DNA sequence: TGAGTATATGAGTATTTGTTCATATAGGGG
DNA sequence: CCCCTATATGAACAAATACTCATATACTCA
């Protein structure tokens, strides 16, 4: 029994293209995984945290100082990043030091940063 | 005159680390650009749209069919992607065909997809 | 020109998200 | 043990976001 297609908006559907797409379509878990990764990288604060942690280990307080943000805001973001295993930490007395923990995601970030820096330079050159 | 540091949360600041970070810090425009790119890639619908458009040109209606979403929802996302120049379109009569238009961003997406697919396969293997 | 079709868009809405504020937790030193 | 400091966390709130619904636009064909 054919399902009703309630979403259809036109009669002339390119059936072959649709069949191809359906066949090659991404699994839901892959889409969710990709989305989760990019969501983590989609916020300016998290970008700056990860970028700085890619250079060196830093404690929460240092990060707050560098970013000019409250300790609480930074700590919330670190918890988020840790849940995704993008950062890890170690304790030394009262101080907790964070560092990056996911080479693949850091690679994506670095690529985007390099590209954006490059584009920005070109735009400056034009002026 | 030194600025008051209202954000400070601790006395023992690692001044050297902070100086290093401040020196190497990303410009605001780079952070904004990177964030904009990753935001575009952070949504499951847009991931699937871009992925399908990386394979072949598709009209709005085909996309709606493949994604199982309304024409309106797809059209809104296409407008978003077009504003960022991640896709472009051409008209053929009433039909408007979209295709991808940013090799760098599509490269980031493909890398993340490959990685996620790989991770998923490994997880399946373990079971 | 007028009806029909594919796409675009504005307003409204429910959800998600990033921050603040207040407070809790946990380790260090007297 | 008590106080101090660094970090974590829960609740609340404002802003951003992705969708729906109704309708507008732009093109085709007769």
């Amino acid at each position: 029994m054919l399902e009703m297609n309630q979403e259809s908006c036109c009669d002339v559907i390119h059936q072959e293209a649709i069949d191809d797409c359906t066949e090659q379509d991404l699994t839901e878990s892959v889409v969710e995984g990709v989305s989760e990764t990019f969501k983590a990288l989609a916020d300016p604060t998290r970008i700056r945290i990860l970028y700085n942690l890619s250079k060196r280990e830093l404690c929460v307080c240092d990060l707050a100082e560098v970013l000019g943000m409250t300790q609480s805001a930074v700590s919330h973001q670190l918890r988020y990043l840790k849940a995704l295993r993008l950062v890890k930490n170690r304790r030394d007395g009262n101080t907790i030091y964070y560092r990056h923990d996911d080479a693949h995601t850091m690679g994506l970030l670095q690529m985007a940063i390099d590209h954006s820096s490059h584009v920005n330079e070109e735009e400056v050159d034009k002026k």
Side-chain angles (χ1 to χ4, degrees), chain A:
Chain A
M1 180 171 60
L2 285 175
E3 273 182 59
M4 287 292 291
N5 175 15
Q6 302 173 337
E7 313 297 349
S8 134
C9 62
C10 61
D11 295 331
V12 186
I13 290 180
H14 307 88
Q15 193 60 48
E16 186 195 355
I18 289 173
D19 289 344
D20 273 6
C21 287
T22 306
E23 195 181 323
Q24 305 181 32
D25 216 5
L26 300 169
T27 68
E28 190 168 324
S29 69
V30 168
V31 173
E32 283 307 313
V34 170
S35 159
E36 186 180 78
T37 297
F38 286 132
K39 268 200 181 78
L41 298 171
D43 175 71
T45 297
R46 289 193 293 271
I47 290 170
R48 299 177 70 207
I49 288 175
L50 289 172
Y51 174 77
N52 281 297
L53 292 183
S54 78
K55 303 290 182 181
R56 66 181 63 69
E57 187 178 68
L58 289 168
C59 71
V60 179
C61 183
D62 290 346
L63 270 171
E65 178 72 20
V66 169
L67 304 186
M69 298 180 62
T70 64
Q71 172 269 324
S72 178
V74 172
S75 192
H76 277 295
Q77 295 295 3
L78 287 169
R79 177 167 63 163
Y80 175 107
L81 293 171
K82 188 152 186 286
L84 292 183
R85 298 179 178 281
L86 300 188
V87 303
K88 59 185 171 185
N89 58 18
R90 71 179 175 87
R91 177 181 281 276
D92 178 13
N94 275 346
T95 307
I96 299 191
Y97 292 93
Y98 281 82
R99 54 183 308 188
H100 66 91
D101 192 32
D102 184 310
H104 168 254
T105 304
M106 297 307 277
L108 290 174
L109 176 59
Q110 194 58 56
M111 285 185 68
I113 288 173
D114 290 346
H115 185 76
S116 181
S117 305
H118 196 247
V119 169
N120 271 30
E121 268 177 32
E122 282 178 358
E123 272 171 18
V124 169
D125 286 350
K126 282 182 200 163
K127 288 169 190 169

